[in-house]
Amino acid sequence: METIREIFFLPPMAVARLGPGKTPLESYEWEQDVDAHGNNQTVIRSSVTLKESEDGSVSAYLPDPRKIRFRDEDAGALRPVAPFFELWARLHDADSGEEYETPVTPDLLDRHGLSLKHVRYHVTVGNQKAARRTGDAACGFRVRTEIAGDDFTRKPLLAFSPHTSKQQPLVYEHNPIPLGTVRAIRPVPGACETCGDETVDLGILRLRFTPPAGEVYGPPDAAYGPATLAVPGYLNDPPKSEYGRIHEIVPPQNRILNPDTPWSQWIMMTGLYDDPEPHDSYDGARVGNDQSWGVVDDTSDGTIEAYLSVGGERLTARARIFTGPPDFAPDRRPFYSLADDLDDRDLSLIEVTEQTYEACKDEVIDIFRRAFETNSLINLDDIRAQGLKDNASLQAQTKIPPTPGLPSTDARSMTEEDAVPPDKIPDLIRPQPVSVFSNSVANDRLPYTVAVKFVHEQLVDEVALLDFLRRRPDYVKRLLRPPFGILSQLEADPNPDQEPNPEFRDPRIIRDQMHDARMPPYMRDSNYYPLSLSRRQYHLVVSFIDYLQAHPPAPTDAGGQKDA
């Protein structure tokens, strides 16, 4: 006899992406291009996709592998990413004592004397960005909806601002902001479809979240405003903002928000608010007196819950859903993802041994390949200028001297005069002979951006990377920015001017707040501090380099054969 012990969603977390298109984006996955000219770079291939029918059921198909359609063919609108959540159960077999996992289907429910009527879903999503800045809960907006397990109609998620009698709601209940739709998918008992090498069970209980179009909303006076332009400068003449073209802030049909809330009066860095970083990432920042225009968007995050009544007990499954902007470079992978962040939290540090070498090698190679893909998307010259400007401001306030052994934090950064010059970069940005491509590399508007891509591209190759790590182990370690330490590593009351620990950073130490050429150069984390690998990634790379040094390759004879 089997009993249902637990229910859960797969995936337990997903990111939906905004898009006004009528058709959701088809599924695709990352692959390494192993063709002769592919250079092991990431490409995307179409994969099995589920298509909704009018009655709420789905069918499976394999899209054309030669063409992934990111826009509707008629209107050209970006297609949204609308993830599915499958409901699974963990069962216990009393006869064998074993536990196993299986998807929840009508057949499984029927075996336990249950039906879809015993299933219920709760979906709660909201946007708390303005509330987080102002400290006023009524400046947030959210929605909660309940769905019966046998209700397969699409449910709109219309959010508004709950409030007390003394609060002004940002979003009125009679004029809500759409945050997408949600739908319980009609299961087809016993139905399976085979697409290529994959068989899809259409009887699994699924829930689909479809995000909104990607609109902005504001009060009636959020009509037109000036765009700001960043004017380039140097260390002694830092970049500044100038007004550019006049643009429409919010389209007329979306000027529906309450103008009398704290969000329309909010100004950063006044001492009245906590000013979450980055504090200038809102409409109205760097314009006039930095007062907010009272604008919000239709992104959100929240929870999806399923409840199943079994033998007088209510089992609960819970998943997280996030809504973000479209992926403008779907074939480029970040070197530090949400998955890496979760691994950093849940997994122990890796020690490279003979038994773990191959798996660790693959992960290190993948980190360097992802680093190349990331830096192929960034304007290094721009973020370098911004980082040096921030360093100059911090140095002027604190008068902190240069730290011996660490890269420079002033205009010498990433040049031949750097205390720790990056490999090849200073040579690559020096003036070159006139060519048909450019008058000179020195006159290239983005010399660092071009050079860093060239350097990283060579490290995509496994043989070249391993050779580099063996030849220059100390250099690589010195050029890797350490992650922030965990609480047990940090001093209770450090001196902000003290020299930083070489193995980890402390956000209270001034030098650890400054940008330099260490990898990844000048990129920022969510708190506006210099970005690093995750703690687990950093220790993996260092441990892998140590293993390579302790286990040099076997020498070869004159014929190129390894000695026995």
Side-chain angles (χ1 to χ4, degrees):
M1 180 180 178
E2 62 181 14
T3 56
I4 301 176
R5 290 286 183 87
E6 180 184 357
I7 58 172
F8 58 94
F9 278 115
L10 289 179
M13 179 184 301
V15 178
R17 294 190 179 275
L18 303 167
K22 296 179 180 179
T23 304
L25 184 64
E26 293 165 321
S27 298
Y28 62 86
E29 55 190 17
W30 285 321
E31 289 184 1
Q32 296 300 126
D33 190 348
V34 295
D35 293 341
H37 301 288
N39 198 26
N40 291 307
Q41 294 192 35
T42 297
V43 294
I44 53 177
R45 309 287 190 196
S46 59
S47 60
V48 175
T49 298
L50 298 180
K51 181 180 180 179
E52 286 185 55
S53 302
E54 288 296 326
D55 67 353
S57 62
V58 293
S59 57
Y61 71 102
L62 185 62
D64 184 347
R66 299 164 299 177
K67 183 179 180 182
I68 298 175
R69 293 165 289 192
F70 289 91
R71 294 180 179 271
D72 284 346
E73 294 182 352
D74 50 354
L78 281 169
R79 293 183 168 186
V81 174
F84 289 91
F85 294 85
E86 294 183 352
L87 189 62
W88 283 60
R90 181 170 289 108
L91 276 64
H92 175 76
D93 190 323
D95 297 330
S96 64
E98 296 181 352
E99 288 195 355
Y100 60 96
E101 297 173 355
T102 186
V104 177
T105 64
D107 293 338
L108 175 68
L109 296 175
D110 185 62
R111 293 204 309 266
H112 291 81
L114 306 171
S115 70
L116 293 177
K117 295 184 181 296
H118 293 87
V119 179
R120 182 166 291 273
Y121 303 103
H122 289 184
V123 178
T124 305
V125 292
N127 182 318
Q128 303 296 321
K129 296 176 185 177
R132 177 171 173 256
R133 290 186 183 276
T134 63
D136 188 325
C139 288
F141 49 98
R142 58 186 180 272
V143 57
R144 176 183 174 88
T145 188
E146 298 185 10
I147 308 172
D150 56 356
D151 181 355
F152 309 116
T153 58
R154 185 176 287 109
K155 307 295 182 184
L157 297 169
L158 305 176
F160 60 92
S161 301
H163 62 286
T164 66
S165 58
K166 295 183 179 181
Q167 291 177 310
Q168 287 282 352
L170 179 67
V171 183
Y172 296 112
E173 186 173 2
H174 66 271
N175 219 346
I177 291 180
L179 295 183
T181 64
V182 64
R183 186 181 201 174
I185 300 301
R186 182 189 299 273
V188 183
C192 293
E193 290 186 358
T194 300
C195 300
D197 298 330
E198 186 173 343
T199 299
V200 181
D201 185 349
L202 303 181
I204 299 175
L205 271 62
R206 294 180 173 93
L207 201 72
R208 187 176 209 182
F209 176 85
T210 302
E215 300 277 350
V216 293
Y217 298 83
D221 58 352
Y224 296 93
T228 56
L229 300 175
V231 181
Y234 298 94
L235 202 57
N236 296 326
D237 182 22
K240 55 186 177 182
S241 296
E242 287 187 359
Y243 296 148
R245 63 179 176 84
I246 300 298
H247 70 102
E248 185 178 63
I249 303 172
V250 175
Q253 69 273 18
N254 290 352
R255 297 171 196 163
I256 60 174
L257 303 187
N258 185 351
D260 299 322
T261 70
W263 183 224
S264 291
Q265 284 78 47
W266 193 82
I267 302 176
M268 65 179 177
M269 301 178 70
T270 59
L272 302 177
Y273 308 99
D274 190 31
D275 283 333
E277 294 283 8
H279 43 244
D280 60 352
S281 59
Y282 64 94
D283 290 299
R286 300 185 181 277
V287 179
N289 67 343
D290 294 310
Q291 184 168 331
S292 167
W293 292 339
V295 174
V296 296
D297 57 42
D298 56 4
T299 58
S300 67
D301 63 85
T303 58
I304 293 176
E305 299 169 309
Y307 300 97
L308 176 63
S309 299
V310 181
E313 180 182 2
R314 189 173 76 165
L315 303 180
T316 303
R318 183 175 289 108
R320 286 279 180 181
I321 183 66
F322 306 92
T323 301
D327 191 341
F328 71 95
D331 62 340
R332 305 290 88 179
R333 300 174 299 159
F335 72 90
Y336 188 170
S337 67
L338 179 59
D340 295 306
D341 213 14
L342 295 174
D343 287 346
D344 206 41
R345 182 193 69 178
D346 296 334
L347 302 180
S348 58
L349 300 182
I350 302 174
E351 188 69 30
V352 182
T353 64
E354 184 176 355
Q355 290 72 32
T356 63
Y357 171 77
E358 287 297 329
C360 291
K361 180 189 71 174
D362 291 343
E363 188 168 348
V364 169
I365 292 171
D366 193 58
I367 289 173
F368 276 85
R369 286 176 177 169
R370 290 159 59 189
F372 165 70
E373 293 175 24
T374 298
N375 70 56
S376 69
L377 298 175
I378 63 175
N379 183 333
L380 182 58
D381 296 77
D382 181 69
I383 62 175
R384 175 180 177 271
Q386 181 64 41
L388 297 183
K389 185 192 79 168
D390 292 347
N391 287 349
S393 175
L394 190 58
Q395 201 280 331
Q397 298 173 35
T398 61
K399 309 299 181 184
I400 183 174
T403 303
L406 290 182
S408 303
T409 58
D410 54 23
R412 296 171 298 177
S413 180
M414 296 193 91
T415 71
E416 66 274 11
E417 298 178 6
D418 200 332
V420 185
D423 190 48
K424 299 182 181 180
I425 298 292
D427 297 321
L428 292 171
I429 64 173
R430 290 174 180 170
Q432 301 291 320
V434 175
S435 72
V436 296
F437 301 106
S438 172
N439 290 333
S440 73
V441 175
N443 292 333
D444 194 317
R445 295 179 62 188
L446 302 173
Y448 286 100
T449 303
V450 173
V452 77
K453 293 175 185 176
F454 173 79
V455 172
H456 272 273
E457 187 173 25
Q458 300 175 70
L459 302 180
V460 170
D461 180 75
E462 176 180 335
V463 175
L465 175 61
L466 296 181
D467 177 67
F468 176 67
L469 297 180
R470 284 192 172 101
R471 287 187 297 103
R472 307 196 65 184
D474 294 335
Y475 172 80
V476 177
K477 290 181 183 179
R478 191 165 51 169
L479 209 59
L480 280 176
R481 181 177 293 116
F484 284 119
I486 57 177
L487 289 178
S488 61
Q489 293 176 307
L490 304 181
E491 298 180 30
D493 189 20
N495 183 345
D497 297 334
Q498 72 184 47
E499 290 190 9
N501 190 300
E503 297 183 358
F504 60 86
R505 290 182 295 147
D506 186 328
R508 299 166 295 177
I509 295 176
I510 295 172
R511 181 59 182 85
D512 282 339
Q513 303 173 24
M514 303 182 78
H515 298 270
D516 54 36
R518 287 181 294 181
M519 300 294 108
Y522 309 107
M523 293 183 68
R524 305 170 188 272
D525 62 22
S526 59
N527 289 320
Y528 222 59
Y529 288 129
L531 184 65
S532 70
L533 296 175
S534 72
R535 181 169 175 265
R536 181 179 175 275
Q537 286 176 323
Y538 176 82
H539 283 274
L540 168 63
V541 174
V542 171
S543 178
F544 185 75
I545 293 174
D546 290 340
Y547 183 89
L548 292 180
Q549 291 303 107
H551 300 80
T556 58
D557 60 23
Q561 300 294 319
K562 290 185 178 181
D563 294 342

